[in-house]
């Protein structure tokens, strides 16, 4: 299957295989560039976090935003477009912790979030409880075309400041997308697309107590947002029963 791209990135519309994006990234950035960017982002995130008194992940988000602003044309994405919020979004524990932190600051009612997303949450929970091997499940197709639990009625994001990497890498430069086909959306615009997941994995690894660490493998477990909400709900239920 062919993919369509321009000097800014690869277009999402019509791209159904994740490996095509990886192929594009390997053709755009060489291994030396990727390794250099990876080590630079780790060091820069830790330094910025220390300077500003924020978490390393928040610092990485700032660095990513700076890269977009300094190296690319203005994005046409705007508050309320929301069509990219009907995809399956997977995130790490570190990213989920960032959402929990923001939710506490903004007093977001997770029970209300779960209630309005019950349909997809039930679907994910049923799959988790099945006998299927979880690493063999197409999680994206399980929730595709369903709104993200954090998508508000006005199509804004309730946790925008802490949105995961998956969300931050979907951008548009030509125009605002007018449908779920994401006809203007692109990925692979910045080298952070090639290193971001590994950077986050490393930041999470470095924050893990040493006695709990295993050898760093370059990644961390990913779960759908709906899965994280299920885990949060179950944890709250256990607290109430104590």
């Amino acid at each position: 299957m062919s993919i369509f791209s321009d000097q800014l990135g690869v277009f999402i519309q019509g791209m159904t295989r994740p490996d095509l994006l990886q192929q594009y990234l390997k053709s755009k950035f060489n291994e030396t560039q990727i390794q250099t960017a990876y080590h630079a982002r780790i060091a820069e995130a830790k330094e910025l976090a220390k300077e500003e008194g924020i978490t390393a992940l928040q610092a990485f988000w700032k660095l990513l935003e700076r890269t977009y602003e300094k190296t690319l044309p203005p994005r046409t994405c705007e508050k309320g477009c929301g069509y990219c919020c009907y995809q399956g979004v997977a995130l790490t524990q570190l990213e989920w912790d960032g959402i929990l932190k923001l939710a506490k600051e903004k007093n977001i009612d997770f029970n209300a979030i779960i209630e309005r997303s019950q349909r997809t949450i039930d679907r994910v929970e049923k799959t988790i409880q099945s006998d299927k091997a979880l690493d063999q499940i197409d999680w994206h197709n399980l929730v595709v075309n369903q709104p993200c639990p954090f998508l508000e009625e006005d199509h804004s994001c309730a946790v925008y400041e802490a949105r995961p990497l998956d969300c931050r890498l979907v951008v548009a430069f030509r125009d605002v997308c007018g449908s779920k086909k994401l006809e203007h959306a692109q990925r692979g615009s910045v080298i952070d697309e090639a290193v971001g997941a590994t950077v986050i994995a490393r930041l999470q690894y470095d924050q893990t107590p040493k006695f709990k660490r295993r050898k760093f493998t370059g990644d961390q477990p990913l779960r759908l947002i709906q899965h994280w909400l299920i885990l949060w709900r179950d944890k709250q239920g256990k607290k109430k029963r104590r």
Side-chain angles (χ1 to χ4, degrees):
M1 176 184 176
S2 60
I3 57 176
F4 301 95
S5 63
D6 60 14
Q7 72 276 17
L8 298 176
V10 61
F11 289 96
I12 292 174
Q13 186 176 16
M15 187 172 63
T16 58
R17 287 168 36 201
D19 62 304
L20 293 176
L21 175 59
Q22 296 306 314
Q23 290 175 21
Y24 172 80
L25 291 171
K26 288 181 180 179
S27 69
K28 185 172 182 177
F29 307 110
N30 62 47
E31 189 60 29
T32 299
Q33 290 174 312
I34 290 173
Q35 288 299 318
T36 300
Y38 165 70
H39 291 293
R41 292 294 186 274
I42 293 289
E44 292 164 353
K46 290 182 177 180
E47 182 179 355
L48 183 60
K50 187 175 181 180
E51 288 177 357
E52 299 193 4
I54 57 179
T55 68
L57 182 62
Q58 288 174 318
F60 177 60
W61 295 151
K62 282 195 170 189
L63 293 169
L64 177 57
E65 186 62 24
R66 289 178 188 176
T67 301
Y68 276 120
E69 292 177 350
K70 291 181 178 180
T71 64
L72 294 165
R75 286 156 288 177
T76 54
C77 305
E78 59 185 30
K79 183 178 180 179
C81 53
Y83 287 116
C84 58
C85 302
Y86 289 80
Q87 311 293 314
V89 174
L91 57 156
T92 62
Q93 176 74 61
L94 189 65
E95 292 169 283
W96 177 246
D97 288 345
I99 289 177
L100 289 176
K101 181 176 182 294
L102 180 66
K104 185 176 181 179
E105 293 171 356
K106 296 177 66 174
N107 198 29
I108 295 174
D109 185 354
F110 270 25
N111 289 311
I113 297 289
I114 291 172
E115 183 177 353
R116 74 185 184 194
S117 305
Q118 200 64 58
R119 179 180 177 182
T120 50
I121 286 176
D122 286 347
R123 187 180 300 171
V124 171
E125 187 167 27
K126 184 178 179 180
T127 303
I128 293 170
Q129 294 172 348
S130 70
D131 294 330
K132 298 178 182 178
L134 299 186
D135 60 347
Q136 300 298 316
I137 295 170
D138 188 340
W139 294 102
H140 172 77
N141 281 333
L142 195 65
V143 297
V144 71
N145 290 326
Q146 299 300 315
C148 172
F150 292 108
L151 185 64
E152 302 281 42
E153 289 186 5
D154 63 356
H155 273 204
S156 64
C157 174
V159 292
Y160 185 79
E161 300 91 332
R163 66 197 186 282
L165 183 67
D166 261 6
C167 303
R168 294 171 188 267
L169 295 176
V170 178
V171 292
F173 302 99
R174 298 191 306 184
D175 203 346
V176 178
C177 294
S179 72
K180 294 177 187 177
K181 293 180 180 179
L182 303 180
E183 58 273 18
H184 300 300
Q186 293 178 266
R187 289 192 64 162
S189 300
V190 291
I191 197 167
D192 299 80
E193 175 97 42
V195 303
T198 312
V199 168
I200 292 171
R202 184 71 208 196
L203 294 177
Q204 181 172 321
Y205 177 84
D206 289 346
Q207 291 183 21
T208 303
K210 289 185 178 180
F211 71 91
K212 290 185 177 181
R213 292 181 189 174
R214 297 182 179 180
K215 184 178 179 180
F216 182 62
T217 59
D219 58 14
Q220 294 286 352
L222 294 169
R223 293 187 174 96
L224 287 175
I225 283 180
Q226 290 85 351
H227 193 169
W228 285 114
L229 284 168
I230 291 168
L231 294 174
W232 176 88
R233 180 203 63 195
D234 292 348
K235 185 176 181 180
Q236 299 307 305
K238 289 180 180 178
K239 287 181 179 179
K240 289 180 180 179
R241 290 193 292 270
R242 289 176 183 172

